[in-house]
Amino acid sequence: MCGIVAYVGRKIAQPLLIEGLKRLEYRGYDSAGIAVIDQKGAMHIRRAVGRISVLEDALQRVPTLPDASLGMAHTRWATHGAPTEANAHPHTDDTGRIALVHNGIIENYAALKKFLTNKGHAFSSQTDTEVLAMLIGDLYADMQVKNQVLPGTSLLQQAVQAALHEVDGTYGIAVICKDEPDTLVVARKGSPLIIGVGQEEYIVASDASAIVEHTTQVVYLNDNEMAVLKPGSFRTTTINNITISPVISQLENKLEEYELGDYEHYMLKEIFEQPSAIRNCLRGRAEQKESRIVLGGIVDHTRELVRAKRFILTGQGTAWHAGLVGDYLMEDLAKVTTECTYASEFRYRNPLVEEGTVVVAISQSGETADTLAALREAKEKGALALGIVNVVGSTIARETDGGIYLHAGPEIGVASTKAFTCQCVVLTMLALFLGRRKFMSQSVCHEMIDGLCAVPEQIERVLEQSDHVKQIAREFCDRENWLFLGRGYHFPVALEGALKLKEISYIHSEGMPAAEMKHGPIALINEGMPVVFIATKGSQYDKVISNIEEVRARGGKIIVVATEGDTNIHKYSDHVIEVPHALEPLQPLLSVVPLQLLAYHCAVARDCNVDKPRNLAKSVTVE
Ligand code: M6R
């Protein structure tokens, strides 16, 4: 949720940290701050409420920060305490010796705060993070008095270790201390941290976007691990001080993939990247000639998967919507009992996980706290756990028994777009992989793979209608209530269309099965209310037309996503957006695109911040 970037090396830290923060801003943007320790051992901190640009302005003002080669910065998404300067990170202990940035939640902060207050410490924020900074400072002082430094460690490292043993909750932290002006200590539990390894320098961040410009060599910290970094050397240990040999991995994505290029917003860029993202996702996996699906990341589990009695697909938000499409796909194509459940519900309801259950965690970031917790619960109960994840090396990707990467490239816009279509593509491939090994004929599989491989070019045709969608958006963007309706495979698409609109335009919108409308929501329809139907040619086309009639009769404005060349639909609609014809299981991949564009153009017309909508963060790493 929040973003951390920290640096130790020979360069001047400040510009590098600010650049890193800008790349991390999509993770949280209610306040930001920076701390550096200069060569004389003085700590300098600046914090500001609002976007990184506000912090940048503050840094221009005199006195500016001195040059320093050790520092860290943070962009915040508030959990404990309002977005004020006092609550912004970095936080310090009350001596100002220790500074800390933190992602996650310290659950027992109230008890720790009481304990520290009783010891005479004074707090200046409402955050859980300040409590951790204070605890480290308190332990540091104690250890210093008792002269307790163990050989081969630093006092800061020891104080951090001791503090983390007292803490319940989750953290990704970076800590500096003015008595140790060449040392950066970082640690993680439940909140990602990646160490970028450069030439006598290290840049640590909560995601790769802040690192890739400097190095592609990285070490992913695991839970309960920490690192002590100095210019030219680093040591990784557990928080119990057991040394770990670091595994150096190569970052997959290139710097250009994180850049906005000529687009106005990341969301638009990512909508338009869908054809290439899907091509990458299909590459080497959907073999048209042999009518074969090759999925290297799950092939070792083929036997268990083919024999599985039940699949549980789980995720949150858009990933859950993709899971719902997957639910239809798995039953339709692989003929296996499947359910799609919110990860947040799965984890706490004591779920039944019998023998032969496969749990598939779907997550763009691979860091969503609820999805990760559901995955761990599933593993605990003996399920085979797979992941459908975009971010390589993310926690979910590393904790699953096997999985399928999306290869969609970095998704920066808070509203998920290309991840959704690639998740649906992966789920289609999974269903075909299983279906073909069970009951599916070669010819059906062949037809599906051909259809799948045609999708990128078909999406390109849909994208050509962006201006037409923009006109529709302009006409209706001032309406405060919208409905999105679809049947079968298009029910999850309706949910996704409504989510896109509400999260970036702040318009109230609901998605539901078209048939459900009569059971209550139809009462909402009034003159001029925009109702978006997904009514492509397919098995339920006539039924959807009846639902359109019901809304028209009550004065609703009808916007329809329909199949190219369907002249009949025009007489029922105020506006039609055409998508190419596709096999029914593949239709969501096309019909969702106009809805993404509709949400995007509405948000722009309403002057909303498309890539950084209020109250939201890209990756939700707290429960
Ligand atoms: O990274 P994940 O796919 O696990 O994220 C899940 C949801 O938080 C995410 O899809 C969210 O709903 C998006 N903002 C939707 O656009």
Side-chain angles (χ1 to χ4, degrees):
M1 314 227 34
C2 311
I4 287 178
V5 57
Y7 176 82
V8 61
R10 314 258 179 233
K11 296 189 187 128
I12 299 171
Q14 183 185 322
L16 206 139
L17 294 174
I18 294 298
E19 198 45 47
L21 272 193
K22 286 186 190 161
R23 294 197 184 278
L24 293 174
E25 197 176 13
Y26 72 104
R27 296 181 69 101
Y29 29 81
D30 59 41
S31 53
I34 181 171
V36 296
I37 296 181
D38 67 23
Q39 267 115 25
K40 294 183 201 138
M43 175 97 70
H44 305 268
I45 296 183
R46 296 283 186 282
R47 300 182 294 186
V49 175
R51 310 271 152 144
I52 311 299
S53 54
V54 183
L55 177 67
E56 262 189 309
D57 290 347
L59 289 168
Q60 303 288 318
R61 288 196 286 275
V62 180
T64 53
L65 294 189
D67 289 352
S69 300
L70 172 68
M72 58 196 192
H74 187 267
T75 176
R76 180 169 186 247
W77 187 89
T79 56
H80 291 61
T84 60
E85 194 174 321
N87 288 335
H89 300 214
H91 287 283
T92 63
D93 67 335
D94 51 2
T95 67
R97 170 160 53 189
I98 303 285
L100 175 141
V101 290
H102 168 223
N103 286 354
I105 292 180
I106 306 301
E107 286 166 5
N108 59 339
Y109 85 103
L112 291 171
K113 192 168 185 172
K114 196 168 167 202
F115 164 76
L116 291 162
T117 308
N118 289 342
K119 280 189 87 178
H121 293 290
F123 289 85
S124 51
S125 81
Q126 287 107 45
T127 65
D128 52 333
T129 302
E130 190 188 9
V131 175
L132 182 53
M134 198 72 80
L135 183 61
I136 295 170
D138 182 76
L139 290 162
Y140 191 98
D142 265 9
M143 289 172 174
Q144 200 170 40
V145 170
K146 293 179 190 151
N147 198 12
Q148 276 181 338
V149 197
L150 296 173
T153 62
S154 81
L155 204 51
L156 180 60
Q157 177 189 3
Q158 276 178 238
V160 171
Q161 279 172 355
L164 294 180
H165 281 107
E166 302 302 323
V167 153
D168 295 330
T170 54
Y171 52 81
I173 53 169
V175 193
I176 54 178
C177 169
K178 62 184 189 179
D179 294 351
E180 303 185 28
D182 64 345
T183 307
L184 172 66
V185 175
V186 298
R188 84 157 260 181
K189 183 182 166 200
S191 215
L193 270 190
I194 308 172
I195 303 171
V197 181
Q199 291 286 338
E200 303 209 316
E201 63 176 8
Y202 302 94
I203 180 150
V204 181
S206 38
D207 80 45
S209 59
I211 296 178
V212 68
E213 192 176 350
H214 306 282
T215 177
T216 53
Q217 308 269 299
V218 295
V219 175
Y220 294 99
L221 274 192
N222 291 310
D223 278 353
N224 299 312
E225 289 181 2
M226 63 188 300
V228 180
L229 307 125
K230 294 170 189 263
S233 76
F234 79 110
R235 179 171 171 243
T236 44
T237 67
T238 65
I239 61 163
N240 296 322
N241 203 28
I242 297 165
T243 302
I244 302 163
S245 311
V247 179
I248 306 226
S249 313
Q250 187 73 24
L251 283 182
E252 240 201 6
N253 299 117
K254 312 229 167 1
L255 181 61
E256 314 82 82
E257 294 178 74
Y258 294 93
E259 308 280 3
L260 194 52
D262 293 333
Y263 288 93
E264 217 177 311
H265 299 102
Y266 279 104
M267 182 182 178
L268 190 64
K269 175 181 183 240
E270 287 154 10
I271 292 173
F272 274 78
E273 276 175 351
Q274 290 180 105
S276 63
I278 293 174
R279 283 189 184 103
N280 285 339
C281 184
L282 290 171
R283 186 163 300 121
R285 291 165 164 178
E287 294 193 347
Q288 273 177 291
K289 272 197 202 133
E290 286 85 12
S291 306
R292 208 163 55 131
I293 297 289
V294 181
L295 295 172
I298 59 166
V299 73
D300 289 350
H301 300 288
T302 305
R303 218 174 131 86
E304 281 162 281
L305 290 170
V306 171
R307 292 177 172 199
K309 297 197 186 84
R310 180 169 161 239
F311 278 74
I312 300 173
L313 311 177
T314 192
Q316 294 292 141
T318 289
W320 180 74
H321 296 158
L324 217 48
V325 175
D327 187 350
Y328 284 77
L329 287 164
M330 293 289 278
E331 298 212 349
D332 190 5
L333 304 176
K335 309 283 181 232
V336 56
T337 306
T338 305
E339 70 188 84
C340 178
T341 178
Y342 279 114
S344 52
E345 294 301 311
F346 177 83
R347 102 170 259 208
Y348 286 115
R349 72 167 195 230
N350 194 14
L352 261 188
V353 178
E354 306 109 327
E355 215 189 317
T357 301
V358 179
V359 172
V360 184
I362 306 169
S363 173
Q364 187 286 130
S365 61
E367 301 293 350
T368 299
D370 287 314
T371 311
L372 181 59
L375 169 77
R376 287 176 176 160
E377 176 68 16
K379 285 182 77 172
E380 184 71 28
K381 293 207 147 140
L384 174 67
L386 303 183
I388 295 179
V389 169
N390 193 32
V391 178
V392 175
S394 56
T395 310
I396 293 177
R398 285 182 297 139
E399 290 199 14
T400 42
D401 299 310
I404 311 165
Y405 278 120
L406 303 184
H407 296 312
E411 192 180 68
I412 310 287
V414 166
S416 189
T417 51
K418 63 177 178 175
F420 175 79
T421 41
C422 288
Q423 283 158 349
C424 292
V425 165
V426 165
L427 285 158
T428 310
M429 290 194 289
L430 177 63
L432 292 174
F433 179 89
L434 296 175
R436 183 68 187 109
R437 282 164 177 79
K438 293 162 88 176
F439 315 101
M440 186 180 282
S441 69
Q442 192 179 18
S443 63
V444 171
C445 187
H446 181 80
E447 195 188 6
M448 281 295 302
I449 293 178
D450 273 0
L452 205 48
C453 292
V455 164
E457 186 270 329
Q458 291 180 314
I459 292 183
E460 276 158 6
R461 272 157 51 198
V462 180
L463 293 171
E464 285 167 15
Q465 297 181 69
S466 182
D467 284 343
H468 169 53
V469 178
K470 192 198 267 181
Q471 294 310 320
I472 301 172
R474 285 193 174 155
E475 185 176 335
F476 295 106
C477 65
D478 60 343
R479 312 293 160 88
E480 292 302 332
N481 292 294
W482 291 51
L483 271 186
F484 288 76
L485 301 172
R487 284 171 175 257
Y489 279 104
H490 285 139
F491 158 47
V493 175
L495 292 175
E496 179 59 7
L499 174 62
K500 287 292 86 93
L501 188 67
K502 74 179 87 158
E503 71 178 326
I504 58 167
S505 313
Y506 321 139
I507 291 172
H508 172 241
S509 51
E510 299 295 336
M512 65 192 72
E516 178 63 14
M517 186 188 51
K518 286 198 288 289
H519 299 276
I522 198 165
L524 294 170
I525 311 280
N526 56 13
E527 199 62 36
M529 176 176 179
V531 182
V532 180
F533 280 92
I534 303 128
T536 51
K537 283 287 174 86
S539 55
Q540 302 199 50
Y541 177 77
D542 291 336
K543 304 249 181 255
V544 181
I545 297 285
S546 306
N547 298 136
I548 293 177
E549 291 279 39
E550 289 154 10
V551 174
R552 255 161 56 93
R554 288 160 180 87
K557 285 283 179 192
I558 311 292
I559 301 163
V560 181
V561 176
T563 305
E564 261 172 16
D566 178 2
T567 46
N568 173 54
I569 199 81
H570 289 265
K571 57 178 182 277
Y572 302 99
S573 343
D574 295 289
H575 295 282
V576 175
I577 308 165
E578 293 193 337
V579 295
H581 172 73
L583 296 168
E584 225 161 305
L586 304 178
Q587 285 179 359
L589 294 166
L590 306 178
S591 59
V592 76
V593 177
L595 306 190
Q596 297 168 341
L597 288 168
L598 193 60
Y600 172 78
H601 290 303
C602 276
V604 172
R606 288 166 70 96
D607 210 16
C608 296
N609 190 330
V610 173
D611 287 330
K612 301 184 185 96
R614 70 181 180 208
N615 305 339
L616 286 172
K618 179 65 181 164
S619 155
V620 184
T621 52
V622 293
E623 272 185 65

